[in-house]
Amino acid sequence: MKIFAVDTNYLQHNKTLSSSFSKPEAPVIFTKCDTALLKDGKPFFIPDTLGNIEYETELVVRICKLGKTIPTRFASRYYDAVTVGVDFTARDLQKRLQEQGLPWELSKGFDGAAALGTFVPLDKVKPIQCLRFRLDINGTTVQEGFSGDMLFKVDEIISYISQYFTLRTGDLLYTGCPTGCAPVRINDHLEGYIEEQKVLEFNCK
């Protein structure tokens, strides 16, 4: 199983990081190792050596068939379900690595850094680019997004990734986060929703 993720895929989020942000020519892709996956409601143990750990709430789609160099017009055939995930980011470490011009996978791919909710079949939700999603922490909504605001749509991302990697059944795609990232704390209770359906719930330890 491979875990793919997209950076800088929502305009407002990126404007909070840089006032001069402009849409990149292609999706910015990074990967997480399989030990980053956190599912089935298991707690997220906040690393005590990586500085601030921030949540990034994202829609996640599940790849359902083998594919390579997939045309965008056929990409919808290659995923069958969607959920909410959290791309945890060691923000201090990421900034330090970026300033040094170094790869920043260490800040994104550590153990537990890819929280994953329960998948919902695509035929049970609105079209993939018409979904609202959110994250609540301790009963308060802290991050909201609308998939129609993505700079690169899901089908475009899948087509792009498949030029470099063979997609296999069970691979995951984290599609980017909207604005509103902030650190998590010990004892935080996180709940993720697609529209009004809760698909993700776990605690921070």
Side-chain angles (χ1 to χ4, degrees):
M1 182 201 68
K2 299 183 290 297
I3 303 172
F4 299 101
V6 187
D7 194 52
T8 59
N9 202 30
Y10 283 84
L11 181 61
Q12 290 305 315
H13 171 59
N14 297 302
K15 282 187 173 180
T16 66
L17 302 176
S18 172
S19 59
S20 60
F21 174 83
S22 59
K23 181 179 177 178
E25 293 182 2
V28 178
I29 304 297
F30 62 94
T31 61
K32 293 173 179 267
C33 63
D34 57 0
T35 59
L37 191 62
L38 181 73
K39 59 181 183 177
D40 302 325
K42 293 179 180 178
F44 172 62
F45 290 93
I46 301 174
D48 56 8
T49 59
L50 298 181
N52 281 333
I53 305 296
E54 295 191 353
Y55 55 80
E56 297 190 15
T57 312
E58 312 190 5
L59 287 179
V60 184
V61 297
R62 181 178 66 194
I63 302 301
C64 65
K65 61 190 294 188
L66 187 72
K68 176 70 174 174
T69 48
I70 303 164
T72 301
R73 66 183 184 278
F74 297 139
S76 62
R77 302 177 183 179
Y78 289 82
Y79 57 98
D80 65 351
V82 63
T83 190
V84 167
V86 178
D87 166 23
F88 283 114
T89 303
R91 192 68 71 196
D92 299 334
L93 176 59
Q94 184 188 40
K95 289 179 179 178
R96 189 161 64 249
L97 292 169
Q98 288 175 327
E99 288 170 356
Q100 297 174 44
L102 297 173
W104 37 264
E105 277 81 0
L106 289 177
S107 68
K108 291 278 196 176
F110 55 89
D111 287 355
L116 185 71
T118 301
F119 277 103
V120 181
L122 291 180
D123 60 4
K124 302 296 184 183
V125 294
K126 294 178 181 178
I128 194 69
Q129 300 300 161
C130 299
L131 293 174
R132 297 194 178 277
F133 60 99
R134 74 176 197 268
L135 179 71
D136 290 0
I137 297 183
N138 304 325
T140 299
T141 298
V142 296
Q143 196 167 31
E144 297 178 276
F146 175 61
S147 60
D149 293 334
M150 291 181 186
L151 297 178
F152 295 97
K153 308 308 182 188
V154 173
D155 291 358
E156 295 174 303
I157 298 165
I158 287 175
S159 177
Y160 180 76
I161 291 174
S162 73
Q163 296 177 41
Y164 302 92
F165 301 93
T166 297
L167 298 179
R168 292 176 173 167
T169 301
D171 287 349
L172 304 174
L173 172 60
Y174 284 65
T175 59
C177 81
T179 190
C181 305
V184 288
R185 309 294 183 193
I186 291 175
N187 296 324
D188 278 348
H189 181 68
L190 280 66
E191 297 171 293
Y193 294 81
I194 294 177
E195 300 293 337
E196 295 305 316
Q197 181 175 356
K198 181 162 52 175
V199 294
L200 175 70
E201 184 172 14
F202 65 98
N203 295 311
C204 293
K205 299 289 188 181

